[in-house]
Short mmCIF file of all heavy atoms in Angstrom, two decimals:
data_model
loop_
_atom_site.label_atom_id
_atom_site.label_comp_id
_atom_site.label_asym_id
_atom_site.label_seq_id
_atom_site.Cartn_x
_atom_site.Cartn_y
_atom_site.Cartn_z
N MET A 71 -259.21 103.34 57.99
CA MET A 71 -259.19 103.69 56.57
C MET A 71 -259.18 105.21 56.37
O MET A 71 -258.46 105.75 55.52
CB MET A 71 -260.35 103.05 55.81
CG MET A 71 -260.21 101.55 55.68
SD MET A 71 -261.63 100.71 54.97
CE MET A 71 -261.97 101.67 53.54
N PHE A 72 -259.97 105.90 57.17
CA PHE A 72 -260.01 107.37 57.09
C PHE A 72 -258.65 107.98 57.41
O PHE A 72 -258.15 108.85 56.71
CB PHE A 72 -261.09 107.92 58.02
CG PHE A 72 -261.24 109.40 57.93
CD1 PHE A 72 -261.89 109.99 56.88
CD2 PHE A 72 -260.69 110.22 58.92
CE1 PHE A 72 -262.02 111.37 56.76
CE2 PHE A 72 -260.81 111.60 58.81
CZ PHE A 72 -261.48 112.19 57.75
N ILE A 73 -258.03 107.48 58.49
CA ILE A 73 -256.68 107.99 58.87
C ILE A 73 -255.68 107.65 57.78
O ILE A 73 -254.82 108.49 57.43
CB ILE A 73 -256.27 107.41 60.25
CG1 ILE A 73 -257.23 107.87 61.34
CG2 ILE A 73 -254.82 107.75 60.57
CD1 ILE A 73 -257.29 109.38 61.58
N GLN A 74 -255.70 106.47 57.24
CA GLN A 74 -254.79 106.09 56.17
C GLN A 74 -254.97 106.98 54.94
O GLN A 74 -254.00 107.37 54.30
CB GLN A 74 -255.00 104.63 55.76
CG GLN A 74 -254.47 103.64 56.79
CD GLN A 74 -254.78 102.19 56.44
OE1 GLN A 74 -255.30 101.87 55.38
NE2 GLN A 74 -254.45 101.31 57.36
N ASN A 75 -256.19 107.37 54.63
CA ASN A 75 -256.45 108.27 53.52
C ASN A 75 -255.84 109.65 53.78
O ASN A 75 -255.31 110.28 52.87
CB ASN A 75 -257.95 108.40 53.23
CG ASN A 75 -258.50 107.17 52.55
OD1 ASN A 75 -257.77 106.41 51.92
ND2 ASN A 75 -259.79 106.97 52.69
N ILE A 76 -255.95 110.11 55.02
CA ILE A 76 -255.34 111.40 55.39
C ILE A 76 -253.82 111.32 55.15
O ILE A 76 -253.23 112.22 54.58
CB ILE A 76 -255.64 111.78 56.83
CG1 ILE A 76 -257.12 112.21 56.95
CG2 ILE A 76 -254.72 112.86 57.36
CD1 ILE A 76 -257.56 112.53 58.33
N GLU A 77 -253.21 110.25 55.62
CA GLU A 77 -251.77 110.07 55.46
C GLU A 77 -251.40 110.00 53.97
O GLU A 77 -250.41 110.64 53.54
CB GLU A 77 -251.31 108.81 56.19
CG GLU A 77 -251.46 108.89 57.69
CD GLU A 77 -251.42 107.56 58.40
OE1 GLU A 77 -251.44 106.50 57.74
OE2 GLU A 77 -251.39 107.57 59.65
N SER A 78 -252.16 109.25 53.20
CA SER A 78 -251.89 109.11 51.77
C SER A 78 -252.04 110.43 51.04
O SER A 78 -251.20 110.77 50.21
CB SER A 78 -252.85 108.08 51.13
OG SER A 78 -252.61 106.81 51.65
N GLU A 79 -253.10 111.19 51.33
CA GLU A 79 -253.33 112.49 50.71
C GLU A 79 -252.18 113.45 51.01
O GLU A 79 -251.75 114.19 50.14
CB GLU A 79 -254.67 113.05 51.11
CG GLU A 79 -255.85 112.34 50.55
CD GLU A 79 -257.18 112.81 51.12
OE1 GLU A 79 -257.20 113.89 51.77
OE2 GLU A 79 -258.17 112.10 50.95
N PHE A 80 -251.76 113.48 52.26
CA PHE A 80 -250.67 114.37 52.66
C PHE A 80 -249.40 114.01 51.88
O PHE A 80 -248.73 114.90 51.33
CB PHE A 80 -250.41 114.30 54.16
CG PHE A 80 -249.29 115.21 54.59
CD1 PHE A 80 -249.53 116.54 54.87
CD2 PHE A 80 -247.98 114.73 54.70
CE1 PHE A 80 -248.49 117.39 55.24
CE2 PHE A 80 -246.95 115.54 55.08
CZ PHE A 80 -247.20 116.91 55.36
N CYS A 81 -249.08 112.74 51.85
CA CYS A 81 -247.87 112.31 51.14
C CYS A 81 -247.97 112.60 49.65
O CYS A 81 -246.99 113.07 49.04
CB CYS A 81 -247.59 110.82 51.39
SG CYS A 81 -247.11 110.47 53.13
N ALA A 82 -249.10 112.32 49.04
CA ALA A 82 -249.31 112.60 47.61
C ALA A 82 -249.15 114.08 47.31
O ALA A 82 -248.56 114.46 46.29
CB ALA A 82 -250.67 112.09 47.16
N LYS A 83 -249.68 114.92 48.19
CA LYS A 83 -249.55 116.38 48.01
C LYS A 83 -248.09 116.81 48.00
O LYS A 83 -247.74 117.82 47.42
CB LYS A 83 -250.33 117.08 49.13
CG LYS A 83 -250.48 118.57 48.98
CD LYS A 83 -251.49 119.14 49.93
CE LYS A 83 -250.89 119.28 51.32
NZ LYS A 83 -251.79 119.98 52.26
N HIS A 84 -247.23 116.02 48.64
CA HIS A 84 -245.80 116.33 48.71
C HIS A 84 -244.97 115.41 47.82
O HIS A 84 -243.79 115.21 48.06
CB HIS A 84 -245.33 116.28 50.16
CG HIS A 84 -245.92 117.35 51.01
ND1 HIS A 84 -247.13 117.22 51.66
CD2 HIS A 84 -245.51 118.62 51.26
CE1 HIS A 84 -247.41 118.34 52.28
NE2 HIS A 84 -246.46 119.20 52.09
N ASN A 85 -245.67 114.81 46.81
CA ASN A 85 -245.01 113.94 45.83
C ASN A 85 -244.25 112.79 46.47
O ASN A 85 -243.14 112.44 46.05
CB ASN A 85 -244.08 114.75 44.90
CG ASN A 85 -244.86 115.77 44.10
OD1 ASN A 85 -245.93 115.49 43.61
ND2 ASN A 85 -244.31 116.98 44.00
N GLN A 86 -244.86 112.19 47.47
CA GLN A 86 -244.28 111.03 48.15
C GLN A 86 -245.28 109.88 48.11
O GLN A 86 -246.48 110.10 48.14
CB GLN A 86 -244.01 111.38 49.62
CG GLN A 86 -242.99 112.45 49.87
CD GLN A 86 -241.59 111.95 49.62
OE1 GLN A 86 -241.26 110.80 49.95
NE2 GLN A 86 -240.78 112.78 49.02
N PRO A 87 -244.78 108.66 48.04
CA PRO A 87 -245.73 107.54 48.26
C PRO A 87 -246.15 107.56 49.73
O PRO A 87 -245.51 108.21 50.56
CB PRO A 87 -244.88 106.30 47.94
CG PRO A 87 -243.47 106.74 48.16
CD PRO A 87 -243.41 108.22 47.85
N ARG A 88 -247.20 106.84 50.06
CA ARG A 88 -247.64 106.82 51.47
C ARG A 88 -246.50 106.29 52.31
O ARG A 88 -246.02 105.16 52.13
CB ARG A 88 -248.88 105.93 51.65
CG ARG A 88 -249.36 105.96 53.09
CD ARG A 88 -250.74 105.31 53.21
NE ARG A 88 -251.05 105.23 54.62
CZ ARG A 88 -250.88 104.15 55.36
NH1 ARG A 88 -250.40 103.06 54.86
NH2 ARG A 88 -251.19 104.20 56.65
N ASN A 89 -246.02 107.13 53.19
CA ASN A 89 -244.85 106.83 54.00
C ASN A 89 -245.09 107.43 55.40
O ASN A 89 -245.10 108.65 55.54
CB ASN A 89 -243.61 107.43 53.35
CG ASN A 89 -242.34 107.20 54.13
OD1 ASN A 89 -242.34 107.15 55.35
ND2 ASN A 89 -241.25 107.10 53.42
N LEU A 90 -245.27 106.57 56.39
CA LEU A 90 -245.59 107.07 57.73
C LEU A 90 -244.48 107.89 58.34
O LEU A 90 -244.74 108.86 59.05
CB LEU A 90 -245.97 105.91 58.65
CG LEU A 90 -247.29 105.21 58.32
CD1 LEU A 90 -247.57 104.10 59.32
CD2 LEU A 90 -248.45 106.20 58.32
N PHE A 92 -242.40 109.87 56.72
CA PHE A 92 -242.50 111.20 56.11
C PHE A 92 -243.66 111.95 56.71
O PHE A 92 -243.54 113.10 57.09
CB PHE A 92 -242.68 111.06 54.57
CG PHE A 92 -242.82 112.37 53.87
CD1 PHE A 92 -241.71 113.13 53.55
CD2 PHE A 92 -244.10 112.86 53.59
CE1 PHE A 92 -241.84 114.36 52.95
CE2 PHE A 92 -244.23 114.11 52.98
CZ PHE A 92 -243.09 114.85 52.64
N PHE A 93 -244.83 111.32 56.82
CA PHE A 93 -246.02 111.95 57.39
C PHE A 93 -245.72 112.44 58.79
O PHE A 93 -245.94 113.60 59.12
CB PHE A 93 -247.20 110.96 57.38
CG PHE A 93 -248.46 111.54 57.96
CD1 PHE A 93 -249.31 112.26 57.17
CD2 PHE A 93 -248.76 111.35 59.31
CE1 PHE A 93 -250.50 112.78 57.70
CE2 PHE A 93 -249.94 111.88 59.84
CZ PHE A 93 -250.79 112.62 59.03
N ARG A 106 -259.00 119.93 58.00
CA ARG A 106 -260.18 119.47 57.27
C ARG A 106 -261.49 119.90 57.94
O ARG A 106 -262.55 119.56 57.49
CB ARG A 106 -260.16 117.94 57.13
CG ARG A 106 -259.14 117.45 56.11
CD ARG A 106 -258.94 115.97 56.21
NE ARG A 106 -258.09 115.43 55.15
CZ ARG A 106 -256.77 115.60 55.06
NH1 ARG A 106 -256.14 116.32 55.96
NH2 ARG A 106 -256.12 115.07 54.05
#
Side-chain angles (χ1 to χ4, degrees):
M71 289 174 49
F72 183 77
I73 297 299
Q74 288 175 5
N75 286 338
I76 287 176
E77 295 163 351
S78 295
E79 289 172 15
F80 180 85
C81 291
K83 189 168 78 174
H84 293 88
N85 298 318
Q86 296 285 321
R88 184 169 174 263
N89 179 327
L90 291 180
F92 178 82
F93 180 86
R106 286 167 172 74

